[in-house]
Amino acid sequence: MASSIIDGKAIAAQVRAEVKEAVAQWVAQGHRSPFLAVVLIGDNPASASYVRGKAKACAEVGMGSETIQHPASMTEKALLELIQHLNADEKVDGILVQLPLPPHMDEKKVLHAIAPQKDVDGFHPENAGNLVIGQPAFSPATPAGVMELLKRSRVETRGAHAVVIGRSNIVGKPMANLLIQPGADATVTVCHSRTKNLAALSVQADILVAAIGKPHFVTPGMVKEGAVVIDVGINRIEDPSKKNGYRLVGDVDFHAVSQKAALITPVPGGVGPMTIAMLLKNTLAAATKNHP
Ligand code: NAD
């Protein structure tokens, strides 16, 4: 069976258009535009490009944003002070610290310093905890984007067996928590690097989410006929035919697995575009919650 492709680019464009409309309404009610502060430390080219993408996306939906850039030599203390300043700034609705941070900084300490009500990445323990217990929380944008893709592709999650491969705090764990919440109602198995007989578990999945960080890890033998396959992975592999010498691939062997899956996300153009769209949604929610 050949699969249908979940068009993440089109769905993300839809979400962004809805956010744009909601921002316009919010402003029409006399509020200022939602505002996102993005903190970028160092000169990692991938981070710089992600941050540019976020600023551009904010502008396109009518939100304000500011990128605050500092060299990698910035001290952790100075960064914590900057975050305190942004926490207290009435004009800032959402704060995002672009990861990774330079090695001399304690990522946990930095992320925990962000005021939970401005933590639009959803990495603060208060938001992570609220997500687990089903209370209102900012959900991390990537797994929230996967939920949105499933919903808008009319994938039935209720009672489905979802297998999540990966247990990171930013993708795998929140993904599993979103899928088991009442309303989503999936039965979830989480697999990771120490899982035994992973293929025997993944092959049972009605919905398979791959968030591993290993190119083409998921092969057809690991996938049930007719499954929905969501590929979160973004991996660079060498490709001399490309001008820049590489191309992006997911964690799923797309061509082979698409012969078996009913629905599948491509890389690029699947989960990736949803991440920024969901960040915009979270920033709008921060503005409307904090200034009702
Ligand atoms: P991570 O390295 O923090 O976690 C990877 C997880 O995979 C770990 O929990 C580990 O247990 C598991 N794993 C590793 N090797 C395994 C193996 N052999 N068998 C089973 N499990 C194994 O990575 P992450 O931050 O969760 O990201 C995962 C992937 O998703 C990466 O490719 C990353 O680039 C991508 N990503 C994409 C987006 C997006 O916007 N689409 C956002 C975040 C991450």
Side-chain angles (χ1 to χ4, degrees), residues 116-210:
Q117 68 276 16
K118 296 191 177 187
D119 169 41
V120 287
D121 255 344
F123 297 156
H124 189 281
E126 191 173 313
N127 282 310
N130 279 334
L131 174 60
V132 173
I133 62 172
Q135 292 298 308
F138 290 118
S139 303
T142 301
V146 172
M147 295 307 288
E148 203 68 36
L149 284 180
L150 293 173
K151 196 165 100 191
R152 293 181 192 236
S153 309
R154 298 187 203 293
V155 173
E156 178 62 276
T157 52
R158 185 168 308 163
H161 183 198
V163 174
V164 177
I165 313 180
R167 58 171 164 184
S168 71
N169 289 336
I170 64 166
V171 189
K173 280 185 204 157
M175 185 76 255
N177 279 312
L178 285 166
L179 283 161
I180 52 169
Q181 286 307 317
D185 297 314
T187 302
V188 181
T189 301
V190 182
C191 298
H192 48 78
S193 51
R194 300 297 168 101
T195 298
K196 285 183 186 157
N197 296 329
L198 191 149
L201 295 165
S202 66
V203 83
Q204 295 175 38
D206 303 311
I207 299 168
L208 181 60
V209 182

Coordinates of all heavy atoms in Angstrom, one line a residue, residues 116-210:
P116 N 7.4 31.0 34.3 CA 6.6 29.9 33.6 C 5.5 30.5 32.7 O 5.2 30.0 31.7 CB 6.0 29.2 34.8 CG 6.9 29.4 36.0 CD 7.5 30.8 35.7
Q117 N 4.9 31.7 33.1 CA 3.8 32.2 32.3 C 4.4 32.9 31.0 O 3.6 33.3 30.1 CB 3.0 33.2 33.1 CG 3.7 34.5 33.5 CD 4.5 34.4 34.8 OE1 4.8 33.3 35.3 NE2 4.8 35.5 35.4
K118 N 5.7 33.0 30.9 CA 6.3 33.5 29.6 C 7.1 32.4 28.9 O 7.7 32.7 27.9 CB 7.2 34.7 29.9 CG 6.5 35.9 30.5 CD 7.4 37.1 30.5 CE 6.6 38.3 31.1 NZ 7.4 39.6 31.0
D119 N 7.1 31.2 29.4 CA 7.9 30.1 28.9 C 7.2 29.4 27.7 O 6.7 28.3 27.8 CB 8.1 29.1 30.1 CG 8.7 27.8 29.6 OD1 9.6 27.8 28.8 OD2 8.2 26.7 30.1
V120 N 7.2 30.1 26.6 CA 6.5 29.6 25.4 C 7.1 28.4 24.8 O 6.5 27.7 23.9 CB 6.3 30.8 24.3 CG1 5.3 31.8 24.8 CG2 7.7 31.4 24.0
D121 N 8.3 28.0 25.2 CA 8.9 26.7 24.7 C 8.4 25.6 25.6 O 8.6 24.4 25.2 CB 10.4 26.8 24.8 CG 11.1 27.0 23.5 OD1 10.5 26.7 22.5 OD2 12.3 27.3 23.5
G122 N 7.8 25.9 26.7 CA 7.3 24.8 27.6 C 8.3 23.9 28.2 O 8.0 22.8 28.6
F123 N 9.5 24.5 28.4 CA 10.6 23.6 29.0 C 10.7 23.8 30.5 O 11.5 23.1 31.2 CB 11.9 23.9 28.4 CG 12.0 23.6 26.9 CD1 12.9 24.3 26.1 CD2 11.1 22.7 26.3 CE1 13.0 24.0 24.7 CE2 11.2 22.3 25.0 CZ 12.1 23.0 24.2
H124 N 10.0 24.8 31.1 CA 10.1 25.0 32.6 C 9.4 23.9 33.3 O 8.4 23.4 32.8 CB 9.5 26.4 32.9 CG 9.7 26.8 34.3 ND1 9.0 26.2 35.4 CD2 10.5 27.7 34.9 CE1 9.4 26.8 36.5 NE2 10.3 27.6 36.2
P125 N 10.0 23.4 34.4 CA 9.4 22.3 35.1 C 7.9 22.5 35.5 O 7.1 21.5 35.5 CB 10.2 22.1 36.4 CG 11.3 23.0 36.3 CD 11.2 23.9 35.1
E126 N 7.5 23.8 35.7 CA 6.1 24.0 36.1 C 5.2 23.7 34.9 O 4.1 23.0 35.0 CB 5.9 25.5 36.4 CG 4.5 25.7 37.0 CD 4.4 27.1 37.6 OE1 5.3 27.6 38.3 OE2 3.4 27.8 37.3
N127 N 5.6 24.0 33.7 CA 4.8 23.7 32.5 C 4.9 22.2 32.2 O 3.9 21.6 31.8 CB 5.3 24.5 31.3 CG 4.8 25.9 31.3 OD1 3.6 26.2 31.5 ND2 5.7 26.9 31.2
A128 N 6.1 21.6 32.3 CA 6.3 20.2 32.1 C 5.4 19.4 33.0 O 4.7 18.5 32.7 CB 7.7 19.8 32.2
G129 N 5.3 19.8 34.3 CA 4.5 19.2 35.3 C 3.0 19.3 35.0 O 2.3 18.4 35.1
N130 N 2.6 20.5 34.7 CA 1.2 20.8 34.4 C 0.8 19.9 33.2 O -0.4 19.5 33.2 CB 1.0 22.3 34.2 CG 0.8 23.0 35.5 OD1 0.4 22.4 36.5 ND2 1.1 24.3 35.5
L131 N 1.7 19.8 32.2 CA 1.3 19.0 31.1 C 1.0 17.5 31.5 O 0.1 16.9 31.1 CB 2.5 19.0 30.1 CG 2.4 18.1 28.8 CD1 1.1 18.4 28.0 CD2 3.6 18.2 28.0
V132 N 1.9 17.0 32.4 CA 1.7 15.6 32.9 C 0.4 15.5 33.6 O -0.3 14.5 33.4 CB 2.9 15.2 33.8 CG1 2.6 13.8 34.4 CG2 4.2 15.2 33.0
I133 N 0.0 16.4 34.5 CA -1.2 16.3 35.2 C -2.4 16.8 34.5 O -3.5 16.9 35.1 CB -1.1 16.8 36.7 CG1 -0.8 18.3 36.7 CG2 0.0 16.1 37.5 CD1 -0.9 19.0 38.0
G134 N -2.3 17.2 33.3 CA -3.4 17.6 32.5 C -4.0 19.0 32.8 O -5.1 19.3 32.6
Q135 N -3.1 19.9 33.4 CA -3.5 21.2 33.7 C -3.0 22.1 32.5 O -2.1 21.8 31.8 CB -2.8 21.7 35.0 CG -3.3 21.0 36.2 CD -4.8 21.3 36.5 OE1 -5.3 22.4 36.5 NE2 -5.6 20.2 36.6
P136 N -3.7 23.3 32.4 CA -3.2 24.2 31.3 C -1.7 24.5 31.4 O -1.2 24.7 32.5 CB -4.0 25.5 31.6 CG -5.2 25.1 32.4 CD -4.8 23.9 33.2
A137 N -1.1 24.3 30.3 CA 0.4 24.5 30.3 C 0.8 24.8 28.8 O 0.1 24.6 27.9 CB 1.1 23.1 30.6
F138 N 2.0 25.5 28.7 CA 2.6 25.6 27.4 C 3.2 24.3 27.0 O 4.1 23.8 27.7 CB 3.7 26.7 27.4 CG 3.1 28.1 27.6 CD1 3.4 28.9 28.7 CD2 2.2 28.6 26.6 CE1 2.9 30.1 28.8 CE2 1.7 29.9 26.8 CZ 2.0 30.6 27.9
S139 N 2.8 23.7 26.0 CA 3.4 22.4 25.5 C 4.5 22.7 24.6 O 4.4 23.6 23.8 CB 2.4 21.6 24.7 OG 1.2 21.4 25.5
P140 N 5.6 22.0 24.7 CA 6.7 22.2 23.8 C 6.2 22.1 22.3 O 5.4 21.3 22.0 CB 7.7 21.0 24.1 CG 7.4 20.7 25.6 CD 5.9 20.9 25.7
A141 N 6.8 23.0 21.5 CA 6.2 23.2 20.2 C 6.2 22.0 19.3 O 5.3 21.8 18.5 CB 6.9 24.4 19.6
T142 N 7.3 21.2 19.3 CA 7.4 20.1 18.4 C 6.3 19.1 18.6 O 5.6 18.7 17.7 CB 8.8 19.6 18.3 OG1 9.7 20.7 18.0 CG2 9.0 18.5 17.3
P143 N 6.3 18.5 19.9 CA 5.2 17.5 20.1 C 3.8 18.1 19.9 O 2.9 17.4 19.4 CB 5.5 17.0 21.5 CG 6.4 17.9 22.1 CD 7.2 18.6 21.0
A144 N 3.6 19.4 20.3 CA 2.3 20.0 20.1 C 2.0 20.1 18.6 O 0.9 19.9 18.2 CB 2.3 21.4 20.7
G145 N 3.0 20.3 17.8 CA 2.8 20.4 16.4 C 2.5 19.0 15.8 O 1.6 18.9 14.9
V146 N 3.0 17.9 16.4 CA 2.6 16.6 16.0 C 1.2 16.3 16.3 O 0.4 15.8 15.4 CB 3.5 15.5 16.7 CG1 3.0 14.1 16.4 CG2 5.0 15.7 16.2
M147 N 0.7 16.7 17.5 CA -0.7 16.5 17.8 C -1.6 17.3 16.8 O -2.6 16.8 16.4 CB -1.0 17.1 19.2 CG -0.3 16.3 20.3 SD -0.6 14.5 20.3 CE -2.3 14.4 20.8
E148 N -1.2 18.5 16.4 CA -2.0 19.3 15.5 C -2.0 18.6 14.1 O -3.0 18.6 13.5 CB -1.3 20.7 15.4 CG -2.2 21.8 15.0 CD -3.3 22.2 15.9 OE1 -3.1 22.1 17.2 OE2 -4.4 22.5 15.5
L149 N -0.9 18.0 13.7 CA -0.8 17.3 12.4 C -1.8 16.1 12.5 O -2.5 15.9 11.5 CB 0.6 16.8 12.1 CG 1.7 17.7 11.7 CD1 3.0 17.0 11.5 CD2 1.3 18.4 10.4
L150 N -1.8 15.4 13.6 CA -2.7 14.2 13.7 C -4.1 14.7 13.6 O -4.9 14.1 12.9 CB -2.4 13.5 15.0 CG -1.0 12.8 15.1 CD1 -0.8 12.2 16.5 CD2 -0.9 11.7 14.1
K151 N -4.4 15.7 14.4 CA -5.8 16.2 14.5 C -6.3 16.7 13.1 O -7.4 16.2 12.6 CB -5.9 17.4 15.5 CG -7.3 17.7 15.9 CD -7.2 18.6 17.1 CE -7.5 20.0 16.7 NZ -7.2 21.0 17.8
R152 N -5.5 17.5 12.4 CA -5.9 18.0 11.1 C -5.9 17.0 10.0 O -6.4 17.3 8.9 CB -5.1 19.3 10.8 CG -5.4 20.4 11.8 CD -4.7 21.7 11.5 NE -4.8 22.6 12.6 CZ -5.3 23.8 12.5 NH1 -5.6 24.3 11.4 NH2 -5.3 24.6 13.6
S153 N -5.2 15.9 10.2 CA -5.2 14.8 9.2 C -6.3 13.8 9.6 O -6.3 12.7 9.0 CB -3.8 14.2 9.1 OG -2.8 15.1 9.0
R154 N -7.1 14.1 10.6 CA -8.2 13.3 11.1 C -7.7 11.9 11.5 O -8.3 10.8 11.2 CB -9.3 13.1 10.0 CG -9.9 14.5 9.7 CD -11.1 14.3 8.8 NE -11.4 15.5 8.1 CZ -11.8 16.6 8.6 NH1 -12.1 16.7 9.9 NH2 -12.1 17.7 7.9
V155 N -6.6 11.8 12.1 CA -6.1 10.5 12.6 C -6.7 10.3 14.0 O -6.7 11.1 14.9 CB -4.5 10.5 12.8 CG1 -4.0 9.3 13.5 CG2 -3.9 10.7 11.4
E156 N -7.4 9.1 14.1 CA -8.0 8.8 15.4 C -7.0 8.3 16.4 O -6.3 7.3 16.2 CB -9.1 7.7 15.1 CG -9.8 7.2 16.4 CD -10.6 8.3 17.0 OE1 -10.1 9.0 17.8 OE2 -11.9 8.3 16.8
T157 N -6.8 9.1 17.4 CA -5.8 8.8 18.5 C -6.5 8.0 19.6 O -5.8 7.2 20.3 CB -5.2 10.0 19.1 OG1 -6.2 10.9 19.5 CG2 -4.3 10.7 18.1
R158 N -7.8 8.2 19.7 CA -8.5 7.5 20.9 C -8.4 6.0 20.7 O -8.8 5.4 19.7 CB -10.0 7.9 20.8 CG -10.8 7.4 22.0 CD -12.1 8.0 22.1 NE -11.9 9.5 22.0 CZ -12.9 10.4 21.8 NH1 -14.1 9.9 21.5 NH2 -12.7 11.7 21.8
G159 N -7.8 5.4 21.8 CA -7.7 3.9 21.8 C -6.6 3.4 20.9 O -6.3 2.2 20.9
A160 N -5.9 4.3 20.1 CA -4.9 3.8 19.2 C -3.6 3.5 20.0 O -3.4 4.1 21.1 CB -4.6 4.9 18.2
H161 N -2.9 2.5 19.5 CA -1.6 2.3 20.2 C -0.5 3.2 19.5 O -0.2 3.0 18.3 CB -1.2 0.8 20.0 CG 0.1 0.4 20.7 ND1 0.8 -0.7 20.4 CD2 0.8 1.1 21.7 CE1 1.9 -0.7 21.2 NE2 1.9 0.3 22.0
A162 N 0.0 4.1 20.3 CA 1.0 5.0 19.8 C 2.4 4.5 20.3 O 2.5 4.3 21.6 CB 0.7 6.4 20.2
V163 N 3.4 4.4 19.5 CA 4.7 4.1 20.0 C 5.6 5.3 19.7 O 5.7 5.7 18.5 CB 5.3 2.8 19.3 CG1 6.7 2.6 19.7 CG2 4.4 1.6 19.7
V164 N 6.2 5.8 20.7 CA 7.1 7.0 20.6 C 8.5 6.5 20.7 O 8.8 5.8 21.8 CB 6.8 8.0 21.7 CG1 7.8 9.2 21.6 CG2 5.3 8.5 21.6
I165 N 9.3 6.7 19.8 CA 10.7 6.3 19.9 C 11.5 7.5 20.2 O 11.6 8.5 19.4 CB 11.3 5.6 18.6 CG1 10.4 4.5 18.1 CG2 12.7 5.0 19.0 CD1 10.9 3.8 16.8
G166 N 12.1 7.6 21.4 CA 12.8 8.7 21.9 C 12.2 9.2 23.2 O 11.0 9.2 23.4
R167 N 13.0 9.6 24.2 CA 12.5 10.0 25.5 C 13.2 11.3 25.9 O 13.4 11.6 27.1 CB 12.8 8.9 26.5 CG 14.3 8.6 26.6 CD 14.6 7.7 27.8 NE 15.9 7.1 27.6 CZ 16.5 6.2 28.4 NH1 15.8 5.8 29.5 NH2 17.7 5.8 28.2
S168 N 13.4 12.2 25.0 CA 14.0 13.5 25.4 C 13.0 14.4 26.0 O 11.8 14.2 25.9 CB 14.6 14.3 24.2 OG 13.6 14.7 23.4
N169 N 13.4 15.4 26.8 CA 12.5 16.3 27.5 C 11.8 17.2 26.5 O 10.7 17.7 26.8 CB 13.2 17.1 28.6 CG 13.6 16.2 29.7 OD1 13.1 15.2 30.0 ND2 14.7 16.7 30.4
I170 N 12.4 17.4 25.4 CA 11.8 18.4 24.4 C 10.9 17.7 23.4 O 10.0 18.3 22.8 CB 12.8 19.3 23.8 CG1 13.8 18.6 22.9 CG2 13.6 20.1 24.8 CD1 14.5 19.5 22.0
V171 N 11.1 16.4 23.1 CA 10.2 15.7 22.2 C 9.6 14.5 22.7 O 8.3 14.4 23.0 CB 10.9 15.4 20.8 CG1 9.9 14.9 19.8 CG2 11.7 16.6 20.3
G172 N 10.3 13.5 23.0 CA 9.8 12.1 23.3 C 8.8 12.2 24.5 O 7.7 11.7 24.4
K173 N 9.3 12.7 25.7 CA 8.5 12.6 26.9 C 7.2 13.5 26.7 O 6.1 13.0 27.0 CB 9.3 13.1 28.1 CG 10.2 12.0 28.7 CD 10.8 12.5 29.9 CE 12.1 11.8 30.2 NZ 13.0 12.6 31.1
P174 N 7.3 14.8 26.3 CA 6.0 15.5 26.2 C 5.1 14.9 25.1 O 3.9 15.0 25.2 CB 6.5 16.9 25.8 CG 7.9 16.8 25.4 CD 8.5 15.6 26.1
M175 N 5.7 14.3 24.1 CA 4.9 13.6 23.0 C 4.0 12.5 23.7 O 2.8 12.5 23.4 CB 5.9 13.0 22.0 CG 5.2 12.4 20.8 SD 4.6 13.7 19.7 CE 2.9 13.7 19.9
A176 N 4.7 11.7 24.5 CA 4.0 10.6 25.1 C 2.9 11.2 26.1 O 1.8 10.7 26.1 CB 4.9 9.7 25.9
N177 N 3.2 12.2 26.8 CA 2.2 12.8 27.7 C 1.1 13.4 27.0 O -0.1 13.3 27.5 CB 2.9 13.9 28.6 CG 3.7 13.2 29.7 OD1 3.1 12.3 30.4 ND2 4.9 13.6 30.0
L178 N 1.3 14.1 25.9 CA 0.2 14.6 25.1 C -0.7 13.5 24.6 O -1.9 13.6 24.6 CB 0.7 15.5 23.9 CG 1.3 16.8 24.3 CD1 2.1 17.5 23.2 CD2 0.2 17.8 24.8
L179 N -0.1 12.4 24.1 CA -0.9 11.3 23.5 C -1.8 10.6 24.5 O -2.8 10.1 24.2 CB 0.0 10.4 22.8 CG 0.5 10.8 21.4 CD1 1.8 10.0 21.0 CD2 -0.5 10.7 20.4
I180 N -1.3 10.6 25.8 CA -2.2 9.8 26.8 C -3.2 10.7 27.5 O -4.0 10.2 28.3 CB -1.3 9.1 27.9 CG1 -0.4 10.0 28.6 CG2 -0.7 7.8 27.4 CD1 0.2 9.4 29.9
Q181 N -3.1 12.0 27.3 CA -4.1 12.9 28.0 C -5.5 12.5 27.6 O -5.8 12.2 26.4 CB -3.8 14.4 27.6 CG -2.6 15.0 28.3 CD -2.6 14.8 29.8 OE1 -3.6 14.9 30.5 NE2 -1.4 14.4 30.3
P182 N -6.5 12.6 28.5 CA -7.9 12.5 28.1 C -8.2 13.4 27.0 O -7.7 14.6 27.0 CB -8.6 12.9 29.4 CG -7.6 12.6 30.5 CD -6.3 12.9 30.0
G183 N -8.9 12.9 26.0 CA -9.1 13.8 24.8 C -8.3 13.2 23.7 O -8.9 12.9 22.6
A184 N -7.0 12.9 23.9 CA -6.2 12.2 22.9 C -6.4 10.7 23.1 O -6.6 10.0 22.1 CB -4.8 12.6 23.0
D185 N -6.3 10.3 24.3 CA -6.7 8.9 24.7 C -6.0 7.8 24.0 O -6.6 6.7 23.7 CB -8.2 8.7 24.5 CG -9.0 9.6 25.4 OD1 -8.7 9.7 26.6 OD2 -10.0 10.3 24.9
A186 N -4.7 8.0 23.6 CA -4.0 6.9 23.0 C -3.4 6.0 24.1 O -3.3 6.5 25.2 CB -2.9 7.4 22.1
T187 N -3.1 4.8 23.7 CA -2.3 3.9 24.6 C -0.9 4.1 24.1 O -0.6 3.8 23.0 CB -2.8 2.5 24.5 OG1 -4.2 2.4 24.8 CG2 -2.0 1.5 25.4
V188 N 0.0 4.5 25.1 CA 1.4 4.9 24.6 C 2.5 3.9 25.1 O 2.5 3.6 26.3 CB 1.7 6.3 25.0 CG1 3.1 6.7 24.5 CG2 0.6 7.3 24.5
T189 N 3.3 3.6 24.2 CA 4.6 2.8 24.6 C 5.7 3.8 24.2 O 5.8 4.3 23.1 CB 4.7 1.6 23.7 OG1 3.6 0.7 24.0 CG2 6.0 0.8 24.1
V190 N 6.6 4.0 25.2 CA 7.8 4.8 24.9 C 9.0 3.9 24.8 O 9.3 3.1 25.7 CB 8.0 5.9 26.0 CG1 9.2 6.7 25.7 CG2 6.8 6.7 26.2
C191 N 9.7 4.0 23.7 CA 11.0 3.3 23.4 C 12.2 4.2 23.5 O 12.0 5.4 23.2 CB 10.9 2.6 22.1 SG 9.6 1.4 21.9
H192 N 13.3 3.7 23.8 CA 14.5 4.5 23.9 C 15.7 3.7 23.6 O 15.6 2.5 23.2 CB 14.6 5.2 25.2 CG 14.3 4.3 26.4 ND1 15.3 3.5 26.8 CD2 13.2 4.1 27.1 CE1 14.8 2.7 27.8 NE2 13.5 3.1 28.0
S193 N 16.9 4.2 23.9 CA 18.1 3.6 23.5 C 18.4 2.2 24.2 O 19.2 1.4 23.8 CB 19.3 4.5 23.6 OG 19.3 5.0 24.9
R194 N 17.7 2.1 25.4 CA 17.9 0.8 26.1 C 16.8 -0.2 25.9 O 16.7 -1.2 26.7 CB 18.1 1.1 27.6 CG 19.2 2.0 28.0 CD 20.5 1.3 27.6 NE 21.7 2.2 27.6 CZ 22.5 2.3 28.6 NH1 22.4 1.5 29.6 NH2 23.5 3.2 28.5
T195 N 15.8 0.1 25.0 CA 14.7 -0.7 24.8 C 15.1 -2.0 24.1 O 15.9 -2.0 23.2 CB 13.6 0.0 24.0 OG1 13.2 1.1 24.7 CG2 12.4 -0.9 23.6
K196 N 14.6 -3.1 24.7 CA 15.0 -4.4 24.0 C 13.9 -4.7 23.0 O 12.7 -4.4 23.2 CB 14.9 -5.5 25.1 CG 16.2 -5.5 26.0 CD 16.1 -6.7 26.9 CE 17.3 -6.6 27.9 NZ 17.1 -7.3 29.2
N197 N 14.3 -5.4 21.9 CA 13.3 -5.8 20.9 C 12.5 -4.6 20.4 O 11.2 -4.7 20.3 CB 12.4 -6.9 21.3 CG 13.2 -8.2 21.6 OD1 14.3 -8.4 21.0 ND2 12.8 -8.9 22.6
L198 N 13.1 -3.5 20.1 CA 12.3 -2.3 19.7 C 11.4 -2.6 18.6 O 10.2 -2.2 18.5 CB 13.3 -1.2 19.4 CG 12.7 0.2 19.3 CD1 13.7 1.3 19.7 CD2 12.3 0.5 17.9
A199 N 11.9 -3.3 17.6 CA 11.1 -3.5 16.4 C 9.8 -4.3 16.7 O 8.8 -4.1 16.1 CB 11.9 -4.3 15.3
A200 N 9.9 -5.2 17.7 CA 8.7 -6.0 18.1 C 7.6 -5.1 18.7 O 6.4 -5.4 18.6 CB 9.1 -7.1 19.1
L201 N 8.1 -4.0 19.3 CA 7.1 -3.0 19.8 C 6.6 -2.0 18.7 O 5.4 -1.8 18.6 CB 7.7 -2.2 21.0 CG 8.1 -3.0 22.2 CD1 9.1 -2.3 23.1 CD2 6.8 -3.4 22.9
S202 N 7.6 -1.5 18.0 CA 7.2 -0.5 17.0 C 6.2 -1.0 15.9 O 5.4 -0.3 15.4 CB 8.4 0.1 16.3 OG 9.1 -0.8 15.5
V203 N 6.4 -2.3 15.6 CA 5.5 -3.0 14.6 C 4.1 -3.1 15.1 O 3.2 -3.3 14.2 CB 6.2 -4.3 14.2 CG1 5.8 -5.4 15.1 CG2 5.8 -4.7 12.7
Q204 N 3.8 -2.9 16.4 CA 2.5 -2.9 16.9 C 1.8 -1.6 16.8 O 0.6 -1.4 17.1 CB 2.5 -3.4 18.3 CG 2.9 -4.8 18.6 CD 3.0 -5.0 20.1 OE1 2.2 -4.6 20.9 NE2 4.1 -5.7 20.5
A205 N 2.5 -0.5 16.4 CA 2.0 0.8 16.5 C 1.0 1.1 15.4 O 1.2 0.9 14.2 CB 3.1 1.8 16.4
D206 N -0.2 1.7 15.9 CA -1.1 2.3 14.9 C -0.5 3.7 14.5 O -0.7 4.1 13.4 CB -2.5 2.5 15.6 CG -3.0 1.2 16.1 OD1 -3.0 0.2 15.3 OD2 -3.5 1.2 17.3
I207 N 0.1 4.3 15.5 CA 0.8 5.6 15.3 C 2.2 5.5 15.8 O 2.4 5.2 16.9 CB 0.0 6.8 16.1 CG1 -1.4 6.9 15.6 CG2 0.8 8.1 15.9 CD1 -2.3 7.8 16.5
L208 N 3.1 5.7 14.9 CA 4.6 5.6 15.2 C 5.2 7.0 15.1 O 5.2 7.6 14.1 CB 5.2 4.6 14.3 CG 6.7 4.3 14.6 CD1 7.0 3.7 16.0 CD2 7.3 3.3 13.5
V209 N 5.8 7.4 16.2 CA 6.5 8.7 16.2 C 8.0 8.5 16.4 O 8.4 7.9 17.5 CB 5.9 9.7 17.4 CG1 6.6 11.0 17.3 CG2 4.4 9.8 17.3
A210 N 8.8 8.9 15.5 CA 10.2 8.7 15.6 C 10.9 10.0 15.9 O 10.8 11.0 15.2 CB 10.7 8.2 14.2

